Amino acid sequence: MKHTLESIAALAGVSRGTVSRVINNQPSVKPEVRQKVLAIIAEKGYTPHPQARSLAGGKTGNIGVIVFGAKLDFLTHHIFYEVLQGIQLITAMNSYDLLLFSNRSDYDHEYWKKIAISRKIDGLIIMGENIREEYLQFYRDQCIPFVLIGKRIYDGLPLACVTSDYRQGTYDATKYLIGQGKRSIVYIQGLIGTPHEEERYAGYRRALHDAGIAFRLELVAVGKAEQEEARKQMDRLIAEGLAFDAVFAANDLMALGAIESLTMHNYRVPQDIAVIGYDDIQAAAFMNPPLTTVRQHKQKLGQHAVELLLDMLRGELDWHASKDVVIESDLIIRGTA
C-alpha cells in the first residue's frame, strides 16, 4: 500500500494538517503527538512526495489572493486594485509571484476548499465582506498561513489582521463637522453587519457623544455602499422634510450619490450642506467640488499584509498567533466641507 498524508493521519488518529506540520517540523504539535506520527511514518516507510513537501514547506514561490466579496466583479472595486498594488509591490521585492483566485463560491460551493487542496501557494491574503470562519479554520487545518485584510474576530481562532483605523477616521471627520458648527449630521451607512462598518458607526456616535450632541436615529440612512442607493436615501430624507446641515457617507461613492441628490434639490455643497466621504478614491480629488474625505491608505494595507505573511513563512511569526496591524487614516480637507 502506498501511503499518503491522509492514510498516515488516519493511522495516527490526527488531522492531515498535524501530519504536515510534523513532516515540516512546524510548531504547535504536542511532543507526544509528534513522536507518535514520526513512529508511524518510520514503520510504514512513508516518504512525502518531493513536490508535496515543497508545497507544504512554503517553497512554491507563490502567494495567493482571494476576495470573498459581496459581488463577483471585485476587480472593478474602487478599493481592491489599490490594495492589490501594495500586495504586488512587496511580493515582487521578495521574489514571490501572485496567484489571484476568482471568487466562484456562489456557484461552486467547494471552491474555497480547492484553493487550499491545490497546494499551489505558500500562503494567502484574504479580503472581502463574506469571509466565513469555516474557510479560515480549513486553511489553518491545511497548514496554509494566511493574513486577513480587515479585522475579524472568531472565538478560538487567533487571526492575523491588517486594518484601517475606521473608528478613529470617522470620529475625526464627524468632529471636524461639529467644529464647523454642524449639529444635525446625516450618517449614510455602508454594508451593515461588516466589521469595518460597525467601526465607522461607532466612531460617528462617539464623536456626537463627546460633543454633547444627542444621537438621532432618523439621521441614519442605509446606502448599502452604493452610489445610487445613497442618492435614493438622500432623496427620501429631503422628501420627508428632515432638517440637517451635514452628511458623512461611509464611502466616497455614497458621498457622490448624496451630492448628486443635494444638487438636484438645489442645495449648495458646502455652503448649505457639508459632505464628507471615506476612502479617498482616486476620483475624489476631481469631483466638483473636490471631495473632503477620510483617506484610507489602501496600498499600505496590502504591503503590511504581505509583510506579516512573509514573517510567517520565514518562521519569524507564529502563524497560529493573534496579530493586529492598524493603519491610521487621514482627514483630507477639500471643497465639500
Side-chain angles (χ1 to χ4, degrees), residues 210-223:
D210 289 354
I213 299 173
F215 168 73
R216 295 165 55 193
L217 185 59
E218 66 269 22
L219 290 174
V220 178
V222 180

Side-chain angles (χ1 to χ4, degrees), residues 65-75 77 80 100-107 111-112 115 125-132 135 149 152 191 194 196:
V65 178
I66 178 66
V67 181
F68 294 108
K71 296 182 179 180
L72 295 180
D73 60 345
F74 61 88
L75 280 173
H77 195 275
F80 175 76
L100 177 61
F101 292 98
S102 303
N103 182 5
R104 303 205 302 257
S105 298
D106 283 354
Y107 52 91
Y111 182 67
W112 57 274
I115 292 171
I125 305 292
I126 305 174
M127 302 169 58
E129 302 90 351
N130 296 333
I131 300 171
R132 294 166 56 178
Y135 301 169
I149 295 182
R152 297 293 190 281
L191 295 172
T194 57
H196 49 273

